[in-house]
Amino acid sequence: MSRLLESGEPYYLQIAGRLRGLVDGLPAGERLPSEPQLAKDFKVSRFTVSKAVEQLVKDGLIVRKQGSGTFVAEAPLRRQPGYLLSFTEAVEAAGHIATHKVLAFEPTEWSPGLPYSPDAALVLFDRLRLVDATAVARHRSVLTAELVKTIGLTPDVVSDPAFSLYSRFESHGLTVATANERLLARLASVEERQLLNLDAHAVVVAVSRQTFAHDGTPLDAVDATYDARHYSYEARLTRQPEAGNPKPKLERNDEFQTHEVDGHHGPRLGPWGDERAGG
């Protein structure tokens, strides 16, 4: 280990940075040097090393196992905007196995925000999503009863652990062309903590996505909840397309609206008011 710098940055943050670099080059499950060994290598106190290690634990990069040591965590599910992948496709692209357990497959009521007519007959497809047999997300998809019939969805069909909704669409000539998506970080509910085996103060990433066919026909609307330790989101952002161009006009952030400049989509920001105070 190279020596720490007298740069004004706390030692524990410098160590955390070095450990991140180390973890990036190791496979999942690899054991890291012990905290006493790290303290010796960096010539700092055990407390400083422990504080650095805790940073990586919070980020989901490593896991502590009582009596065994500290190990590289499984790689999180990574999402790259611009590439519309299903959960199964994203997991398999990362070299893992995606499965699910059906929680409900039943008629449901229309609610505001859904991309369907209020008088449309709808079906709720609620399932627990697993990666390598570990529960990491819950997906609550709403589809029209007409579409469910068209693609032949039945309780027996969807009960297959390897079932993929997007693959089912494509096998019936329906291609998911576009999607509108919104992300929100929040505390997990009691039910989510039970399903995903989370602690009392766990944070989840709530993802709302509406997908559409080439002709604009809505295919499904899903409210998904991910264990934040197993989810990361990457985006390429640009301030202005070319030097000297005027600043892009910003539109009001309505539900699912994105701001687009020359094909680049930016994040939906806000609201800025204090909702607890009614602002």
Side-chain angles (χ1 to χ4, degrees):
M1 299 287 183
S2 58
R3 64 181 300 173
L4 300 176
L5 303 176
E6 297 296 338
S7 61
E9 183 181 26
Y11 282 163
Y12 82 91
L13 290 180
Q14 292 188 46
I15 295 172
R18 306 283 179 84
L19 292 179
R20 284 191 179 90
L22 175 63
V23 167
D24 284 344
L26 296 175
E30 185 78 9
R31 185 173 180 173
L32 297 180
S34 67
E35 291 185 12
Q37 182 61 50
L38 289 172
K40 181 179 179 181
D41 291 342
F42 285 114
K43 296 181 173 55
V44 296
S45 70
R46 171 80 178 273
F47 172 79
T48 300
V49 167
S50 182
K51 194 172 180 182
V53 169
E54 188 60 32
Q55 292 291 309
L56 274 69
V57 171
K58 289 180 179 179
D59 291 343
L61 298 177
I62 60 176
V63 292
R64 282 183 170 131
K65 296 182 180 179
Q66 189 67 32
S68 299
T70 305
F71 300 83
V72 178
E74 290 290 338
L77 173 65
R78 303 177 70 181
R79 292 287 319 289
Q80 293 181 306
Y83 298 94
L84 182 52
L85 298 178
S86 69
F87 178 89
T88 300
E89 291 168 336
V91 170
E92 291 180 349
H96 298 273
I97 298 174
T99 55
H100 77 209
K101 294 180 180 179
V102 178
L103 303 176
F105 184 72
E106 61 192 17
T108 190
E109 299 294 326
W110 179 88
S111 61
L114 289 174
Y116 310 117
S117 168
D119 59 357
L122 303 175
V123 174
L124 170 66
F125 181 22
D126 186 7
R127 50 187 169 155
L128 189 65
R129 309 306 300 266
L130 301 95
V131 176
D132 298 336
T134 298
V136 301
R138 180 186 190 178
H139 284 189
R140 293 172 56 87
S141 298
V142 176
L143 307 92
T144 63
E146 180 182 4
L147 179 60
V148 166
K149 182 178 180 180
T150 298
I151 63 177
L153 294 190
T154 66
D156 286 341
V157 169
V158 301
S159 65
D160 180 355
F163 174 83
S164 169
L165 185 57
Y166 279 26
S167 293
R168 190 74 179 188
F169 287 150
E170 292 178 355
S171 68
H172 285 74
L174 297 172
T175 300
V176 177
T178 60
N180 296 326
E181 190 170 81
R182 181 183 63 183
L183 284 76
L184 175 69
R186 59 171 173 78
L187 291 175
S189 68
V190 173
E191 184 179 22
E192 289 164 348
R193 294 201 302 267
Q194 293 171 345
L195 287 172
L196 302 178
N197 192 28
L198 304 174
D199 62 34
H201 303 291
V203 173
V204 294
V205 179
V207 180
S208 296
R209 177 196 278 188
Q210 298 177 356
T211 55
F212 303 87
H214 281 289
D215 62 0
T217 301
L219 296 178
D220 82 317
V222 58
D223 283 322
T225 305
Y226 293 86
D227 178 350
R229 297 172 300 178
H230 299 287
Y231 193 95
S232 67
Y233 199 93
E234 299 177 6
R236 177 179 179 272
L237 306 178
T238 60
R239 181 167 174 80
Q240 289 191 221
E242 297 178 6
N245 282 356
K247 289 186 177 180
K249 180 181 179 182
L250 300 180
E251 304 293 343
R252 189 167 66 91
N253 281 324
D254 291 327
E255 187 80 1
F256 290 110
Q257 181 175 308
T258 59
H259 165 56
E260 181 175 353
V261 180
D262 287 359
H264 298 294
H265 293 267
R268 179 182 187 275
L269 303 180
W272 308 114
D274 186 350
E275 294 178 336
R276 293 169 299 179

